[in-house]
Amino acid sequence: MKIAYISTYPPRECGIATFNQNLMRAINANYSQRKKLSDGGFVVALNDSESLQECEYPEEVKYVIRQNQQEDYIKAANYINTSAADACIMEHEFGIYGGESGIYILPLIHRLEKPLISILHTILKEPSYVQRIIIREIAEQSSKIVVMSQRAVEFLTTIYDIPAEKLQIIEHGVPDLEAPENNPVKQLNVFKNRRVLLTFGLISRNKGLETVIKALPAIVEKHPDVMYVILGNTHPGVIKSSGEEYRDHLKTLAAKLNVSNHLAFINKFVSEEELIDYLTAAEIYVTPYHNEAQITSGTLSYAVGAGAAVVSTPYWHATELLANNRGRLFDFKDSDALACIVNELLEHDAALKELKENAYEYGLHLRWPNTGAEFIKVAQTACLTHDFSDKIFKNSIVDPEVMPKFSLTHVLRLTDDTGIVQHAKYGIPNLKEGYCLDDNARALIMALMAYQRNKSKEAFELLPVYLSYIHYMQTDDGNFRNFLSFNRQYLDEIGSEDSFGRTIWSLGYLIGCAASNSYREFAIELFQKSIPHFKSLQHLRGMANTIIGLSLYLKAFPTDEGLVNELVRLTQPLIDAYEQTQSADWQWFEDKMTYDNAILPLALLYSCEITGNEKARQIALKTMAFLDNLTLSNGYLSPVGNDGWYYRGGTFPTFDQQAIETMAMVMMHFQAYQIFKKPEYIEKMFLSYKWFLGENTLRAPLYDHETKGCCDGLLPTGINRNQGAESTLAYLISHLTTLNAFELEYEYDKLDQRLEAC
């Protein structure tokens, strides 16, 4: 049997990486003819950077997924499907996969044609909506879910509603090693003539190491030969965010308590052979985690497997593994209780010896070859019972492989320290035209969307530029100017209602997504200062953009009754305009269709989601259907052209087609799907998006693969080759919206299948 493994993998320093490598070795150990790990299958490894060469992987790693690149997941599924693997084992931890809570893994497992065994390392007692969806979908796509404790089974059956027959407990494996007769660790200075308390693993604040340090004065008072050894590097994620701040904090605390001479750090990532030496050289192993939410602890399993005397806080895994006098428990953050237990054990050798013996005996059945044999049985059963025909395969509604790789190259070219330049000659910024508020508001939305997707540093660094421009253009009374010359001279006193509304939209979006607390607070200040001008709006598109921004604001502050009432008031003119204008053959708000048309039903969709206004909902549906019939009936998007516009009873203008029309169509259909959950809206969204890629009237792509910009529109004579901010931002926002939709593939593909079965 050959197995494909999906996991992080050494040399990446990660507990799951080590676990997966050990599991491969354990399974191979049950086949005497296998000489190397690659004989038993291969690994699809997860990188946490954009580089495929981040790690020098061993030969068993055959494919690499960059965590935040969605297309890598699809290609990995294809690689596994066309390989000689009989089954697939996936290690699951929310943080190792891309997207919100690791949602990018779902399209991969949705496409797998091999039986899947999923190992869940984290099961949350209070999952978010998305986290619960992810675990339930993994369970549905898996032949078997493997967990490591009874508590995990309880959570999965009661909180996640997963059938018990889908689950199997296989406890965390431990090294198949014995303590050496002459332990070299005992000769280290920090161990020699010392009674050592030990903690090992990647260091981070949630490990609760300060509890042990606070217990040291009471322990050292009775046992002055005690040394507390912390073995392990600081977690790489902690290093990136705060360096060695936590380690320095622990040293400072020890100095304050006068126990610095009883604390030692050994900063290294040790092999299993070395780890056994450390565990057996120590008197007591301590896991002082801060809270109960630890369903599995590899370090705890290793300590029990080595026959260590374990003292731990009562997190979920510890309460099970240390039962029946295999260890001792103390309450979270209770340094006094810890000191009492340690002193008691150090004073009573028989009690200490009994703990070690009990742990060692239990650990024998946890050794990796035994664990590997259990997984082989699971995989064999999965292969025998796997029915490929149960899985309905078809082309996904959204195909990320036809989408260009997301790039901010042209946006960065257009952006300086003032803001984003309004126009371009071909791909070159046209500085003569200066800047406008419309584009900087759109740019703020785009940068926020990009940052939300993959925590892009480039996108995050653009946020203060666009937010600063908005601030610069706000007048003392809260209104906004629009145009600014390249030398930073105001070119108008009051901007258009469109630019006002788009700015409110961008501020509402920023307030709702909270990329940074300081930016959010600044956006709230700008937003609230502009509220008095809502009542002055006269034009439908200015109102529509403002409605969207206000709806986003109210998602963050739903109890603001005054602004809920303002949303209702702003929505009414759109309802009135439709009712006064519509007829059997003209389901629209005005006697003509001009620009940015889809923004009007989009605004009603946002409004009804907040207010529950059924009339707004019905008008949104009717006007969407009317717009779709006009623009999508040829099998591709042909938006209302700006060359004359479309008057009731008149001729539909084919050109000049603009990118903002397409962006509004993409966003309208995605919002419609989120409300009504009909897959047809995803189909129409993707069809609209493909306008940029050449599925349009001229069959000519507007996205420029060379510059990474977007051409300004379709003309009767061809493409407008200028690549200004409006069109490029419209493309990028559409691209990011489509990628957001792709994350929901597991949901709308199922809905589509149910509809087909009816």
Side-chain angles (χ1 to χ4, degrees), residues 251 604 608 697 724:
K251 291 177 180 178
L604 292 181
C608 71
T697 308

Side-chain angles (χ1 to χ4, degrees), residues 4 31 33 39 46 58 122 148 156 172 175 244 330 342 370 391 434 450-451 468 504 580 582 607 647 657 672 712:
Y31 296 92
Q33 72 276 22
D39 291 341
L46 276 295
T122 296
M148 302 179 202
L156 290 172
H172 197 297
E244 293 289 4
F330 66 98
V342 170
N370 299 330
K391 234 174 181 181
Y451 179 70
S468 175
I504 299 304
Q580 292 164 14
Q582 67 88 23
S607 177
Y647 288 83
Q657 295 179 21
D712 280 351

Side-chain angles (χ1 to χ4, degrees), residues 49 121 134 229 254 257 442 462 472 641 655 663 672 712:
S49 80
H121 291 263
I134 289 170
V229 175
L257 297 174
R442 287 191 196 97
L462 289 171
Y472 189 63
F655 302 102
M663 180 187 84
D712 280 351

Side-chain angles (χ1 to χ4, degrees), residues 624-747:
M624 280 175 59
F626 180 67
L627 184 58
D628 287 347
N629 186 57
L630 284 172
T631 61
L632 291 173
S633 57
N634 292 326
Y636 56 85
L637 178 65
S638 180
V640 175
N642 284 188
D643 185 14
W645 292 334
Y646 181 40
Y647 288 83
R648 190 200 296 236
T651 301
F652 188 89
T654 303
F655 302 102
D656 175 15
Q657 295 179 21
Q658 298 288 308
I660 60 164
E661 294 290 331
T662 303
M663 180 187 84
M665 290 287 285
V666 168
M667 301 187 85
M668 176 186 74
H669 287 119
F670 184 51
Q671 180 68 9
Y673 171 76
Q674 291 182 299
I675 294 174
F676 302 113
K677 301 301 181 186
K678 292 184 177 181
E680 66 183 83
Y681 292 124
I682 297 293
E683 292 177 1
K684 292 176 178 178
M685 178 211 71
F686 193 50
L687 188 61
S688 298
Y689 166 77
K690 288 190 287 186
W691 178 90
F692 292 105
L693 306 184
E695 296 205 18
N696 51 49
T697 308
L698 295 181
R699 299 294 169 177
L702 287 90
Y703 178 74
D704 186 331
H705 290 267
E706 181 182 356
T707 66
K708 314 303 181 188
C710 180
C711 297
D712 280 351
L714 289 182
L715 305 172
T717 55
I719 298 173
N720 182 340
R721 291 283 289 117
N722 294 331
Q723 297 173 13
E726 180 182 284
S727 55
T728 295
L729 293 168
Y731 166 74
L732 292 173
I733 290 172
S734 299
H735 183 99
L736 291 164
T737 301
T738 303
L739 289 178
N740 288 341
F742 181 63
E743 291 182 9
L744 304 177
E745 179 192 44
Y746 68 92
E747 180 181 82

